[in-house]
Amino acid sequence: MSPAPRTDHDNFAQSLRGDGFCFVDGETMRGHLLQHGSLQDWPAFADSWNDLAPDQYLASVGRHRRRRHAVFRAGRDGAIERQPHQPHYQSLNYNTLQGDIERWFEPVHDAIAGGASLTTVLGFCRDFFSTLAPQTQAWHIELHQFRIEARSDEDGQPTPEGVHRDGVDYVLVLLIDRHNILSGTTTIHTADGTELGSFTLTAPLDAALVDDARVFHGVTAVTPQDPQREAHRDVLVVTFRKTA
């Protein structure tokens, strides 16, 4: 019997196993998401980035970022359940700029957290990352809505901590919108700084899948294309950490 033909899902997994990362274009990503649910509320989901709260932890160093945060738990085959609101914490080993502090961010709105689009994204992540970790029975999931603002007198910094790891197992970075910006190139590195690859998320649903235990990642600064107009980069970041 001939082996079953390889699927894009298989290719994603092979890339993460072999290279530690994978870029997925928006149209391909849309197709995979729709295998896990609906994106029927996408306009409202994307619009929710217009109601993010300032990141007060960065304000003191003059960097402009807005965000909301939520925590979920999922079994490898079971329901994905939102957890009580809690701080986001990273050690200094992973975040030299803001490590070793509990950072409390405004929560993701209930309608967004329980909506079709986010449920679909989380379902895709659970099923895909579980194929890479077949012994894992449960996941701690954190998600972040980020808006990076670029101004005429100051670049926007998607990763102000520099090239880094998040201290989790797997990461999805999903582009929601780019408005009037240039650059914002994602770079992937080994621990010694060697660059393994780079790509720029430019279209809605363009995605990066990252094996955070193996590689480091960063994003170059964004600048306004037209300095007289508002400029921003909106992404959803979802992290998965093994709990059992």
Side-chain angles (χ1 to χ4, degrees), residues 150-152 178-183 222-232:
R151 305 186 179 189
S152 60
R178 285 170 62 104
H179 177 70
N180 187 39
I181 62 166
L182 300 170
S183 194
V222 295
T223 60
Q225 187 170 22
D226 179 351
Q228 304 306 312
R229 297 167 53 220
E230 187 267 344
H232 64 253

Side-chain angles (χ1 to χ4, degrees), residues 39-73:
L39 298 174
Q40 64 184 10
D41 67 342
W42 183 265
F45 180 64
D47 186 64
S48 70
W49 266 256
N50 292 316
D51 188 30
L52 304 187
D55 183 341
Q56 300 294 345
Y57 298 91
L58 280 182
S60 62
V61 291
R63 296 183 174 115
H64 304 286
R65 177 163 73 181
R66 296 177 180 274
R67 69 194 293 176
R68 288 184 182 273
H69 173 244
V71 177
F72 293 77
R73 187 183 187 280

Side-chain angles (χ1 to χ4, degrees), residues 17 25 61 71 85 137 139 156 162 193 219 223-224 226-227 231 243:
R17 292 187 181 107
D25 69 86
V61 291
V71 177
H85 193 53
Q137 297 303 311
W139 297 99
V219 183
T223 60
D226 179 351
T243 62

Side-chain angles (χ1 to χ4, degrees), residues 82-97:
R82 189 171 186 177
Q83 302 299 292
H85 193 53
Q86 55 196 266
H88 176 55
Y89 177 86
Q90 292 172 296
S91 74
L92 279 170
N93 292 332
Y94 295 107
N95 189 329
T96 57
L97 181 65

Side-chain angles (χ1 to χ4, degrees), residues 113-136:
S117 292
L118 188 55
T119 300
T120 294
V121 170
L122 293 178
F124 164 83
C125 289
R126 178 200 58 198
D127 293 349
F128 177 65
F129 293 144
S130 290
T131 67
L132 297 170
Q135 303 306 312
T136 299

Side-chain angles (χ1 to χ4, degrees), residues 38-239:
S38 168
L39 298 174
Q40 64 184 10
D41 67 342
W42 183 265
F45 180 64
D47 186 64
S48 70
W49 266 256
N50 292 316
D51 188 30
L52 304 187
D55 183 341
Q56 300 294 345
Y57 298 91
L58 280 182
S60 62
V61 291
R63 296 183 174 115
H64 304 286
R65 177 163 73 181
R66 296 177 180 274
R67 69 194 293 176
R68 288 184 182 273
H69 173 244
V71 177
F72 293 77
R73 187 183 187 280
R76 63 178 298 111
D77 301 312
I80 300 171
E81 300 175 340
R82 189 171 186 177
Q83 302 299 292
H85 193 53
Q86 55 196 266
H88 176 55
Y89 177 86
Q90 292 172 296
S91 74
L92 279 170
N93 292 332
Y94 295 107
N95 189 329
T96 57
L97 181 65
Q98 297 177 312
D100 284 356
I101 59 174
E102 291 187 343
R103 287 181 286 165
W104 287 91
F105 300 111
E106 290 298 311
V108 174
H109 289 306
D110 289 344
I112 298 302
S117 292
L118 188 55
T119 300
T120 294
V121 170
L122 293 178
F124 164 83
C125 289
R126 178 200 58 198
D127 293 349
F128 177 65
F129 293 144
S130 290
T131 67
L132 297 170
Q135 303 306 312
T136 299
Q137 297 303 311
W139 297 99
H140 174 85
I141 305 165
E142 294 193 48
L143 65 88
H144 310 259
Q145 294 179 282
F146 283 114
R147 168 166 287 182
I148 306 302
E149 299 173 332
R151 305 186 179 189
S152 60
D153 61 345
E154 189 172 30
D155 295 345
Q157 299 288 343
T159 53
E161 64 272 49
V163 174
H164 66 286
R165 290 168 54 209
D166 288 336
V168 297
D169 291 291
Y170 300 108
V171 181
L172 166 74
V173 182
L174 189 71
L175 184 72
I176 306 301
D177 180 47
R178 285 170 62 104
H179 177 70
N180 187 39
I181 62 166
L182 300 170
S183 194
T185 297
T186 299
T187 58
I188 308 293
H189 304 259
T190 61
D192 66 5
T194 301
E195 185 173 312
L196 297 174
S198 66
F199 46 86
T200 304
L201 307 180
T202 60
L205 295 176
D206 278 0
L209 298 163
V210 179
D211 183 339
D212 189 64
R214 293 181 53 202
V215 299
F216 291 66
H217 64 278
V219 183
T220 61
V222 295
T223 60
Q225 187 170 22
D226 179 351
Q228 304 306 312
R229 297 167 53 220
E230 187 267 344
H232 64 253
R233 177 181 187 262
D234 293 348
V235 297
L236 175 72
V237 175
V238 184
T239 66

